[in-house]
Every structure is written in C-alpha cells, then in structure tokens.
Amino acid sequence: MKITEPPGDEPVVLPIEDVIDLHPFQPKEIASVVEEYLHECSRAGFAEVRLIHGKGVGVQRNIVRSVLAKHPAVLSYADAPAEAGGWGATLVVLKPRR
C-alpha cells in the first residue's frame, strides 16, 4: 500500500497485515490511511483487522470511527479486547469478498 505524502516527500509503502499502528501518522493523514488500508485488506481477503490509534484524548479514535462508519468494506467494529489494546485500538470485521 502506498500513502502519498505532500509534494517533495516520498510515498510511504506499508505491508498489508492484519494490524496497523497509526501513531506514526499525523491526524490529517489518518482518514486517507485508514480508507486505503481497509481497501487493501479487503482485497487481500482479511476477515478482521486491528487499527491501533492510541488512547490519548480520542482525536485519532474519532477520525478512525468516522471512516469506519462509512467504509463499504466494514461489517462491524468495536474496541479491541483488553489484551489487544482495549479502547486504544479498534477491531474491525470486514465484509466477505464476493
């Protein structure tokens, strides 16, 4: 997956795995990163992915949840179990590929 950076910066290439840590990204990048990541995970056939956004004051969590609420590949989402990040991560169930 390639994430395009502002002009003059190189794109970031991320491996498509069942978890992504969003801490390295700026809040303004989160929505596009999550959208593209979910698209690629769906394409790769993942049934479930975990988005690590951190606990903080909830800015990144709110951005993530707003994307998930509208994304066509998302079946459901909820806080991750305590051992997988609790409310600092969101577990996403993706719709099966047809």
Side-chain angles (χ1 to χ4, degrees), residues 5-85:
E5 294 295 319
D9 290 337
E10 294 296 316
V12 176
V13 178
L14 301 172
I16 299 303
E17 301 172 334
D18 64 349
V19 63
I20 185 171
D21 186 348
L22 298 170
H23 284 99
F25 300 97
Q26 297 292 321
K28 66 182 179 183
E29 301 169 321
I30 297 298
S32 63
V33 169
V34 170
E35 285 178 28
E36 185 64 22
Y37 173 76
L38 292 172
H39 172 74
E40 293 298 328
C41 285
S42 176
R43 231 178 93 203
F46 287 103
E48 188 175 274
V49 296
R50 184 168 50 112
L51 308 175
I52 302 170
H53 42 69
K55 295 179 179 174
V57 295
V59 173
Q60 287 195 33
R61 181 179 189 268
N62 291 338
I63 295 168
V64 166
R65 297 285 173 104
S66 71
V67 171
L68 296 176
K70 298 179 269 188
H71 201 284
V74 174
L75 183 62
S76 65
Y77 58 92
D79 289 343
E83 67 275 5

